[in-house]
Amino acid sequence: MRRIISQILLIQDTEQPESEKPLTIEINQGLAYFVAPISIIKFYNKQAIFIIDSLIDAIIIIPIRIVFYFLLCLLRVKKRITRLQFKIDLVNFIIIWSIVLIISYSQYFELGLWYHTIRGQSQIKLYGIIQILDLLDRIACNQGDYIVKQLYWNRVNKTEAILNRYLIYSYIYIICHTCVIGLQMTVYNVIFSSNLNLLYLALFVLSLIKLKGSVFKKQDEKSVIQMSLDGGRELFQKMLYTILIISTNKFTPQDFYYKIAFYYMIEYIVDSFKNISIFHLNNIPLDLIDRYSQEVSNFSYSLALKRQLILENLSFIEQKDLSLILQQAPTPQMKILGKFQFTIFPLVVIVIKTITYFIRKNEMTTIQLLFFIIGSLAIIVTIKCMIIYIQKSSNLHRKLTEGMNRKKSQ
């Protein structure tokens, strides 16, 4: 009877038998997973720096290297640029600018036409267009990494033949992916310039789909890294779309910038909740992204080393990256983006197309042109300094420095 009353009144017996040992309960430190978005945001910033560096290399540095090579040929000076590197730069330049000319002077690729066509659609159709373009963009990124890196560049490294059949496949891929990215940017322009209810609807539905597709399924370390790579690429593309839209729009609604701020606030909240849930529910180590970020830094620093120094310190370099590091093609910037499973050419075409469109529609004064050049140089110097800082902060740099100091002391 006493036991029944105790159970009903929830009275616990304070006296424990000596034979019973006190129970120890392991409490999972769930609050620690709330710092997971911080490491992912840091990795996004590093990924954005490398992507911007690749954009600068493709838009500005490659034409300078080509002109520099021709000047060396005219002056009959010993060339520091290899002949294969010159061929690669020349092919990249021809591919990029030929597609820019096709898109710029073809009425089927006119952004104004597509803007008014998409703007005239209903909200349900626009939601379907967003989903289709997002799916096509992911498929194009995966297929582009396979076509350009695994087919074309591998064939170039084996045969040193720049012109091969995979170049045609790569050219077709770049055109198709450029069209997808251009339509994506147009859709975001329509969203930011239209009724606010449309923005709420798009954000709500896209957020639910993102959470359903990632949180409520089993994830491992490899899939989390892939998710972070895709997330960083998509975030960079959206921010680039926003910058290009702001720079090309002469007249913007009163709540235009409010919509942009609201959009990225929702994106940050949803991504943070998604990352916290994935790390917590799947018991993913909190330092996973930091370790992968350090691996990218080591890879970037190894690309900056001379070939002889690499061969002398093979034990410090990841064996899975060694073959890619020693390859002559492509450029170091494209090798790093290959590690991100990302191809830069479609974004380069869109950026050049937008800049040329802006210059044609707006007559720039001498002062504006001077400020544009100074700003571009400042951005280039800043990004290059950031790249050097990332390389110097890598574990590989520390190990090689310690090894050299040890040899000098001996």
Side-chain angles (χ1 to χ4, degrees):
M1 179 63 66
R2 180 183 175 184
R3 187 171 183 179
I4 295 174
I5 295 174
S6 300
Q7 290 178 354
I8 294 173
L9 299 179
L10 300 179
I11 300 175
Q12 296 181 356
D13 191 1
T14 57
E15 297 182 359
Q16 296 181 354
E18 296 181 356
S19 60
E20 293 185 4
K21 296 181 179 180
L23 296 177
T24 57
I25 302 175
E26 294 183 0
I27 301 175
N28 186 10
Q29 301 295 329
L31 292 178
Y33 289 98
F34 281 86
V35 302
I38 298 177
S39 60
I40 294 178
I41 290 173
K42 291 180 180 178
F43 178 71
Y44 286 173
N45 294 333
K46 182 180 291 187
Q47 189 177 6
I49 290 172
F50 283 117
I51 295 175
I52 295 173
D53 183 50
S54 299
L55 284 172
I56 292 172
D57 183 76
I59 298 173
I60 300 174
I61 307 300
I62 285 180
I64 292 176
R65 279 204 301 261
I66 293 174
V67 173
F68 183 67
Y69 186 89
F70 280 119
L71 289 176
L72 292 180
C73 291
L74 293 175
L75 298 175
R76 297 181 180 180
V77 180
K78 185 178 180 180
K79 308 177 187 63
R80 294 186 178 181
I81 304 176
T82 62
R83 189 174 181 182
L84 179 61
Q85 183 62 55
F86 169 73
K87 290 181 180 179
I88 293 171
D89 289 340
L90 188 61
V91 169
N92 291 339
F93 180 81
I94 293 173
I95 289 175
I96 291 171
W97 283 96
S98 63
I99 297 177
V100 169
L101 292 175
I102 291 173
I103 294 178
S104 299
Y105 293 99
S106 176
Q107 60 179 355
Y108 299 105
F109 298 102
E110 183 62 36
L111 294 180
L113 173 65
W114 285 106
Y115 173 81
H116 292 288
T117 302
I118 295 174
R119 187 182 176 88
Q121 305 301 320
S122 62
Q123 294 185 4
I124 299 299
K125 289 183 179 179
L126 186 57
Y127 161 72
I129 293 172
I130 294 172
Q131 289 297 305
I132 292 173
L133 291 177
D134 184 64
L135 178 62
L136 290 177
D137 180 50
R138 294 189 178 188
I139 294 174
C141 284
N142 294 330
Q143 295 300 317
D145 178 71
Y146 173 72
I147 294 172
V148 176
K149 185 180 75 174
Q150 301 185 24
L151 294 181
Y152 178 69
W153 291 123
N154 284 344
R155 177 58 63 90
V156 171
N157 286 304
K158 289 179 180 178
T159 62
E160 294 192 1
I162 300 297
L163 301 178
N164 55 65
R165 59 188 178 124
Y166 297 117
L167 180 62
I168 301 175
Y169 303 155
S170 302
Y171 193 83
I172 295 173
Y173 151 73
I174 295 171
I175 293 177
C176 296
H177 198 183
T178 302
C179 295
V180 172
I181 290 178
L183 289 175
Q184 268 190 324
M185 187 176 72
T186 306
V187 169
Y188 280 101
N189 193 4
V190 171
I191 290 176
F192 293 142
S193 304
S194 299
N195 189 2
L196 191 60
N197 294 329
L198 178 62
L199 179 64
Y200 286 135
L201 176 64
L203 287 175
F204 180 73
V205 176
L206 290 176
S207 300
L208 289 180
I209 291 176
K210 184 182 292 186
L211 290 175
K212 181 181 177 182
S214 57
V215 173
F216 302 107
K217 68 177 183 180
K218 186 67 177 175
Q219 302 271 7
D220 55 5
E221 295 185 4
K222 186 177 180 180
S223 61
V224 170
I225 292 175
Q226 183 63 45
M227 178 196 68
S228 301
L229 293 175
D230 294 337
R233 175 189 59 80
E234 292 175 1
L235 180 61
F236 178 83
Q237 286 186 186
K238 291 175 183 177
M239 296 188 72
L240 182 63
Y241 297 160
T242 305
I243 295 172
L244 295 178
I245 290 169
I246 293 173
S247 62
T248 53
N249 281 357
K250 289 185 177 180
F251 305 100
T252 56
Q254 294 181 353
D255 57 350
F256 183 77
Y257 296 101
Y258 165 75
K259 291 178 181 179
I260 293 176
F262 176 79
Y263 177 80
Y264 285 108
M265 182 186 70
I266 295 296
E267 280 283 317
Y268 174 75
I269 293 174
V270 171
D271 284 342
S272 298
F273 178 76
K274 179 191 71 175
N275 294 325
I276 292 169
S277 302
I278 289 175
F279 274 77
H280 186 100
L281 297 176
N282 298 280
N283 294 323
I284 303 296
L286 292 175
D287 63 339
L288 174 65
I289 302 300
D290 291 332
R291 285 189 278 112
Y292 186 77
S293 178
Q294 187 59 234
E295 182 181 334
V296 173
S297 300
N298 293 336
F299 182 73
S300 175
Y301 180 71
S302 61
L303 291 174
L305 297 175
K306 295 182 179 180
R307 188 182 183 90
Q308 184 63 31
L309 187 59
I310 294 173
L311 296 176
E312 292 175 357
N313 299 274
L314 293 177
S315 59
F316 297 119
I317 299 175
E318 292 285 342
Q319 296 300 315
K320 61 181 180 180
D321 297 330
L322 185 59
S323 60
L324 182 60
I325 292 170
L326 295 176
Q327 288 178 357
Q328 298 186 47
T331 59
Q333 289 81 3
M334 293 183 185
K335 289 181 181 180
I336 295 175
L337 292 190
K339 199 171 183 63
F340 295 153
Q341 300 178 7
F342 181 57
T343 305
I344 198 64
F345 291 111
L347 279 182
V348 172
V349 174
I350 291 296
V351 172
I352 295 177
K353 158 70 177 173
T354 307
I355 293 174
T356 54
Y357 175 81
F358 176 79
I359 293 174
R360 282 190 300 167
K361 296 295 181 181
N362 300 276
E363 295 183 359
M364 298 181 67
T365 62
T366 306
I367 297 177
Q368 290 177 340
L369 181 61
L370 182 62
F371 276 112
F372 177 77
I373 295 173
I374 294 174
S376 301
L377 291 175
I379 292 174
I380 294 173
V381 172
T382 304
I383 293 298
K384 293 300 180 181
C385 291
M386 289 181 177
I387 295 292
I388 294 173
Y389 174 77
I390 291 172
Q391 294 173 350
K392 296 294 183 181
S393 61
S394 63
N395 292 333
L396 180 60
H397 174 263
R398 179 179 55 81
K399 292 178 181 178
L400 291 181
T401 304
E402 291 176 355
M404 290 179 183
N405 292 335
R406 199 178 299 114
K407 288 181 181 179
K408 289 180 181 179
S409 62
Q410 292 177 355

